[in-house]
Amino acid sequence: MSTPAPVDASSTPARRDRLARFRGWTRGVLVANVVAQIGIIVTGGAVRLTGSGLGCSTWPQCEPGSFTPVFHEAAGIHPYVEFGNRLMTFVLAAIAIAVLLLVTTDRTRSPRYRVLGVVPLAGVVAQALIGGVVVLLDLHPAWVSLHFVVSAALVWLSTYLLHRHGEGDGAPAPVGGRATSLTGWALGLLVVPVICLGVVVTGAGPHSGDAEVGYRLAVDPLTMTRAHSASVWLFVGVLALLLVLLHRAADGGDLVRRARRGAWLLLVVTLAQGGIGYAQYFTGLPVLLVGLHMLGAGVLTWATARAVLRLRTRA
């Protein structure tokens, strides 16, 4: 009996990779996923700021017997704003499916990386279900708040997935020393109360999302605003410490310089977001500024994740 010819193991995965021609698209798809996750925060904010949360009276249909808005004079723009936000979910779903296919099937990467490809699609499904509960419970404030917080979490996770795509699969090693790493992790944790208190402030104010009930959360708006502002100032203080540590780092190589750029960009985003916050507070909460502040929350989450993740490297 003749001995079978040896198989070139290195070439076997390539032969079996039916998506090989599309692998070069992976980074672009992951960038699109981050942008779309921030974008749906904006469209969701438009629903809230225009009081269109019940523009579609039911879920998953928009109106009983119809998945699209039914025109009548009393409806105004509300059904179309809400339906537009629902359409954005389909855009996210399409991108999430592309991420799933490109990431989970990439046999050149570790299983820990590939499993991350499930996250965007799982997030879309979870958000669709939460959105349905929000409508069916007539904009219950707790579920509306959860809807936003999950969106912010998906921005962070999508940024993490994009960052991991550009890394190797070796063990992570800190950039800039232990103190720098700990400060970075503290910064990552502090963004949680910044976002969550911001959600409470919006829910306690006149732009809570319900045209009939101006203040959905039974808390004092001024107290919540001050708490939110305090969390932001604490965040800025820790970010300033991080910048000092990065500029004092003995090793001034490319990785440290890259981490510095990430931290400086985060400072710019934070100051811009804080400026919008104070501007809206002192001008009576105009809708446009509140909408920009919601966009800023998504960008702040992205910039924070990006800055923190640049404090480590993988072989």
Side-chain angles (χ1 to χ4, degrees):
M1 181 180 295
S2 60
T3 303
V7 176
D8 184 355
S10 63
S11 65
T12 301
R15 290 176 183 172
R16 295 178 179 176
D17 187 359
R18 297 180 180 179
L19 298 177
R21 71 181 70 178
F22 303 112
R23 293 294 172 202
W25 297 7
T26 303
R27 177 174 173 77
V29 170
L30 294 177
V31 170
N33 179 54
V34 174
V35 173
Q37 295 290 356
I38 296 174
I40 203 166
I41 290 177
V42 177
T43 61
V47 171
R48 189 167 193 167
L49 295 173
T50 59
S52 302
L54 294 178
C56 289
S57 62
T58 188
W59 185 91
Q61 296 178 322
C62 184
E63 299 294 342
S66 175
F67 283 95
T68 58
V70 177
F71 176 78
H72 51 88
E73 292 185 3
I77 65 168
H78 300 312
Y80 302 100
V81 175
E82 167 62 11
F83 184 68
N85 185 54
R86 293 188 183 190
L87 286 179
M88 185 64 183
T89 301
F90 289 98
V91 174
L92 265 177
I95 296 173
I97 291 171
V99 171
L100 181 75
L101 292 174
L102 290 170
V103 173
T104 61
T105 62
D106 188 353
R107 299 296 177 180
T108 66
R109 301 298 301 268
S110 69
R112 288 188 176 183
Y113 166 79
R114 297 202 306 269
V115 75
L116 293 172
V118 179
V119 172
L121 186 58
V124 169
V125 173
Q127 283 291 69
L129 294 174
I130 293 171
V133 173
V134 168
V135 173
L136 296 176
L137 293 183
D138 294 331
L139 307 180
H140 190 285
W143 284 92
V144 172
S145 299
L146 177 64
H147 210 26
F148 187 95
V149 171
V150 172
S151 282
L154 286 170
V155 171
W156 182 286
L157 291 171
S158 296
T159 306
Y160 177 74
L161 175 54
L162 174 61
H163 186 84
R164 283 289 288 113
H165 173 69
E167 291 184 316
D169 289 319
V175 172
R178 180 174 174 79
T180 303
S181 296
L182 290 175
T183 305
W185 281 112
L187 195 67
L189 290 174
L190 283 172
V191 79
V192 176
V194 168
I195 296 297
C196 291
L197 286 171
V199 173
V200 173
V201 170
T202 304
H207 298 303
S208 60
D210 193 325
E212 297 181 1
V213 181
Y215 300 83
R216 298 280 290 172
L217 296 178
V219 293
D220 178 35
L222 181 58
T223 300
M224 289 297 101
T225 300
R226 288 173 175 170
H228 176 54
S229 178
S231 71
V232 172
W233 280 111
L234 180 59
F235 182 88
V236 171
V238 174
L239 176 55
L241 175 60
L242 176 62
L243 281 165
V244 170
L245 290 172
L246 286 172
H247 280 275
R248 288 183 176 179
D251 179 12
D254 290 340
L255 292 174
V256 172
R257 287 193 290 270
R258 184 168 175 264
R260 288 172 187 164
R261 289 195 297 269
W264 278 111
L265 176 62
L266 176 56
L267 180 62
V268 171
V269 171
T270 303
L271 293 178
Q273 177 72 337
I276 295 171
Y278 277 108
Q280 68 177 8
Y281 177 78
F282 288 113
T283 56
L285 302 175
V287 169
L288 179 59
L289 287 181
V290 176
L292 286 175
H293 205 49
M294 289 183 173
L295 168 62
V299 176
L300 177 68
T301 303
W302 163 77
T304 304
R306 185 172 177 268
V308 171
L309 291 169
R310 286 187 171 201
L311 298 177
R312 61 104 189 269
T313 184
R314 289 178 184 265

